[in-house]
Amino acid sequence: AQSVAQPEDQVNVAEGNPLTVKCTYSVSGNPYLFWYVQYPNRGLQFLLKYITGDNLVKGSYGFEAEFNKSQTSFHLKKPSALVSDSALYFCAVRVKAAGNKLTFGGGTRVLVKP
Amino acid sequence: GAVVSQHPSWVICKSGTSVKIECRSLDFQATTMFWYRQFPKQSLMLMATSNEGSKATYEQGVEKDKFLINHASLTLSTLTVTSAHPEDSSFYICSARTDSVNTGELFFGEGSRLTVL
């Protein structure tokens, strides 16, 4: 069975500092990896995805993520965090062999302080 | 990106009544839509996969008679919570993929918060 782990429930960072949100996965087969962001009482917004190709993926709002196959990780990063980046972030994985169902991690709450 | 609309965004109902939530893809056709449930401070749990023109596929542990799903057209899927009870109170989110290629990302609705009194 496929699974996603986000080891940190919450990440606190000062505005302007680098932001990293960790994600590791476990699948059988080649993974399709995604990051989504959720603001309070809202749906999820797509940030970026890794399907194949370059391990470094650039997405919306200045976010990027690096696919590391040996470490089975897909950490989300932003060089300089903004207060408006405060939200709930979800990592997700999908594998064709598993019926293409999207499995989410538990979520990481990011708090960017001014 | 593609737009997925959910309605209503919030609803309060009495115990024993049924509530219908609509999910529409506004600028694309979606042969497949997905319904998720999210409890406070928790992740999304896939409830079912809604297929246009056929029966929905429910995840293990989800009562199909409790959560009725109808995918009547390529742009509309509905979730009906039948005989709702307080434990059904939750945030329900739908999503759809823009293309038939399995590498496409999902686009999500804004969610519907259901409160059953």
Side-chain angles (χ1 to χ4, degrees):
Chain A
Q2 59 192 44
S3 64
V4 180
Q6 292 180 242
E8 301 155 316
D9 290 336
Q10 181 161 325
V11 170
N12 298 319
V13 63
E15 187 174 31
N17 282 2
L19 169 64
T20 298
V21 186
K22 296 179 180 177
C23 171
T24 58
Y25 64 90
S26 175
V27 299
S28 297
N30 295 320
Y32 302 150
L33 294 155
F34 303 83
W35 274 102
Y36 289 88
V37 60
Q38 184 181 34
Y39 296 97
N41 294 309
R42 304 290 294 277
L44 274 65
Q45 295 179 31
F46 169 77
L47 283 178
L48 50 79
K49 66 179 178 181
Y50 170 82
I51 303 300
T52 186
D54 194 349
N55 289 344
L56 183 63
V57 179
K58 294 187 182 296
S60 306
Y61 313 119
F63 284 94
E64 60 185 30
E66 186 167 10
F67 171 62
N68 188 318
K69 188 173 184 178
S70 62
Q71 296 185 6
T72 62
S73 67
F74 190 56
H75 302 329
L76 180 70
K77 298 182 179 182
K78 185 170 183 178
S80 178
L82 301 173
V83 173
S84 57
D85 292 329
S86 299
L88 188 58
Y89 291 79
F90 290 100
C91 181
V93 67
R94 191 166 76 223
V95 177
K96 188 175 182 180
N100 277 302
K101 294 178 182 178
L102 196 62
T103 299
F104 286 89
T108 299
R109 186 165 300 281
V110 170
L111 179 60
V112 182
K113 298 181 179 179
Chain B
V3 179
V4 176
S5 174
Q6 258 184 265
H7 177 79
S9 55
W10 59 270
V11 57
I12 301 174
C13 70
K14 293 182 179 180
S15 185
T17 61
S18 295
V19 175
K20 179 184 286 188
I21 301 171
E22 293 185 347
C23 178
R24 294 181 184 273
S25 56
L26 297 187
D27 50 1
F28 65 100
Q29 294 183 330
T31 56
T32 303
M33 291 184 175
F34 305 87
W35 286 96
Y36 293 85
R37 183 173 181 177
Q38 185 180 30
F39 292 100
K41 299 183 180 181
Q42 293 190 27
S43 188
L44 280 72
M45 179 192 77
L46 179 64
M47 299 175 64
T49 302
S50 174
N51 304 297
E52 188 269 336
S54 63
K55 292 183 179 180
T57 303
Y58 289 82
E59 294 301 301
Q60 190 173 9
V62 178
E63 300 176 59
K64 57 183 66 177
D65 294 331
K66 175 73 171 177
F67 299 99
L68 299 179
I69 292 174
N70 187 323
H71 198 143
S73 74
L74 287 172
T75 59
L76 173 64
S77 176
T78 60
L79 167 67
T80 300
V81 183
T82 62
S83 186
H85 288 90
E87 57 266 29
D88 298 324
S89 298
S90 191
F91 195 53
Y92 294 88
I93 306 176
C94 73
S95 69
R97 209 154 44 218
T98 57
D99 53 43
S100 60
V101 178
N102 293 321
T103 57
E105 66 267 25
L106 290 180
F107 290 90
F108 287 79
E110 290 293 291
S112 300
R113 183 163 299 285
L114 169 64
T115 301
V116 185
L117 302 177

